[in-house]
Amino acid sequence: NTLYYGFYSNMLANEMFLDTSQREESLISLVKPLGYVVPGKTSAKAKAKLRQGESQTEVPRYTRFTGNNASGVSYNFYTIENYILDGQGEAVIPIVEGKSLTLEQPLLIDNSTQKGFLRGLDVDISTVRVEVYNSDPNQAPNGDQWELWSRAGNVEQGLSDESKVYWLERTELGFFVVFGGNYADTTGSQVGRSIPENTQVRVSYLKSSGESGNGVGNWNVSSSEISATTETVSLSTGGTDKPDMEAIR
């Protein structure tokens, strides 16, 4: 019994510290006060070059590129920003792997907690895009009433009750999108703008295939509006199935 209890106490103590913890759940809890969100799966990234296109052609956000790995398996990659071809009709385009694309999906917000939920640890949190509808067209920038809100960290400074930001919080089943209003800084001031009841919120993001999305090239752009040839600048890399625990430490 002494041996069992000694072993148990040793392992329990190890999980209380960032340097010695071994369980992913412990790391998630330990780094949360530091403002770090432990990701789930991470999408592979690559670069494709468009050539011989029309000058100043726009490549919209979420344009799909299809590529193959060495075994001939096809994967979909997407742009996560808008790009413009130069005067020669060329551009090097960064693309991100996604086994599925969630585009402008309504996000249900619990007004009591100011939280919405993204289900699945295969959500690539680096691709999450949160937009809030502004009911006053006079305050909408560029006439677009869907305003892009920025992701903030737990230790970010200079936020007020008017800051249009959100936070991400990991759980066992996915990620919470957290807005301000229920939280205050050391001075008692509200941090971040809250979401009023019945306000529309929408999210876009990619779900990742993880490591299997690495080593993909030979791109084809899937858009009838873009008449350009496609070249492989780099094969896809960086896709992971689980976070690197040593990197987190």
Side-chain angles (χ1 to χ4, degrees), residues 154-165:
N154 291 2
V155 294
E156 190 158 339
Q157 302 295 316
L159 298 180
S160 70
D161 59 355
E162 291 299 316
S163 299
K164 297 177 180 180
V165 296

Side-chain angles (χ1 to χ4, degrees), residues 16-53:
M16 296 174 62
F17 299 95
L18 186 60
D19 288 339
T20 55
S21 60
Q22 300 298 314
R23 302 179 71 246
E24 187 175 292
E25 293 82 358
S26 301
L27 281 178
I28 293 171
S29 179
L30 289 168
V31 301
K32 184 177 178 180
L34 304 177
Y36 183 80
V37 181
V38 177
K41 284 188 175 183
T42 303
S43 293
K45 298 174 177 61
K47 290 183 179 179
K49 183 175 183 179
L50 295 180
R51 297 180 62 251
Q52 300 176 352

Side-chain angles (χ1 to χ4, degrees), residues 62 102-105 127-129 131 202-206:
Y62 302 125
T102 297
L103 183 60
E104 298 176 355
Q105 174 179 290
T127 67
V128 173
R129 181 180 173 89
E131 297 172 289
R202 69 186 187 186
V203 292
S204 302
Y205 55 86
L206 295 175

Side-chain angles (χ1 to χ4, degrees), residues 12-212:
L12 184 63
N14 284 341
E15 295 303 312
M16 296 174 62
F17 299 95
L18 186 60
D19 288 339
T20 55
S21 60
Q22 300 298 314
R23 302 179 71 246
E24 187 175 292
E25 293 82 358
S26 301
L27 281 178
I28 293 171
S29 179
L30 289 168
V31 301
K32 184 177 178 180
L34 304 177
Y36 183 80
V37 181
V38 177
K41 284 188 175 183
T42 303
S43 293
K45 298 174 177 61
K47 290 183 179 179
K49 183 175 183 179
L50 295 180
R51 297 180 62 251
Q52 300 176 352
E54 296 184 9
S55 174
Q56 304 302 312
T57 297
E58 180 181 9
V59 182
R61 180 183 296 110
Y62 302 125
T63 296
R64 180 163 56 93
F65 288 71
T66 303
N68 303 314
N69 62 15
S71 301
V73 180
S74 296
Y75 289 86
N76 291 326
F77 283 67
Y78 298 85
T79 59
I80 57 174
E81 298 293 342
N82 297 321
Y83 297 94
I84 302 292
L85 301 188
D86 62 18
Q88 287 71 45
E90 298 183 356
V92 176
I93 308 292
I95 50 179
V96 181
E97 187 272 330
K99 66 179 180 181
S100 66
L101 166 64
T102 297
L103 183 60
E104 298 176 355
Q105 174 179 290
L107 181 65
L108 180 63
I109 304 299
D110 184 335
N111 284 97
S112 62
T113 62
Q114 288 288 297
K115 292 182 178 182
F117 187 61
L118 306 179
R119 180 171 295 276
L121 293 178
D122 53 355
V123 173
D124 186 334
I125 60 175
S126 68
T127 67
V128 173
R129 181 180 173 89
V130 176
E131 297 172 289
V132 179
Y133 189 76
N134 189 339
S135 58
D136 185 356
N138 296 323
Q139 297 182 4
N142 302 320
D144 186 359
Q145 291 182 257
W146 284 103
E147 294 182 322
L148 178 65
W149 285 35
S150 303
R151 176 182 164 188
N154 291 2
V155 294
E156 190 158 339
Q157 302 295 316
L159 298 180
S160 70
D161 59 355
E162 291 299 316
S163 299
K164 297 177 180 180
V165 296
Y166 68 92
W167 292 262
L168 286 180
E169 179 181 316
R170 177 168 168 168
T171 71
E172 294 181 355
L173 299 177
F175 299 90
F176 278 113
V177 177
V178 184
F179 295 94
N182 290 336
Y183 307 94
D185 61 16
T186 54
T187 66
S189 301
Q190 177 177 310
V191 179
R193 180 181 290 192
S194 58
I195 301 296
E197 190 172 1
N198 299 323
T199 298
Q200 299 179 64
V201 180
R202 69 186 187 186
V203 292
S204 302
Y205 55 86
L206 295 175
K207 286 198 170 186
S208 172
S209 298
E211 290 183 1
S212 62

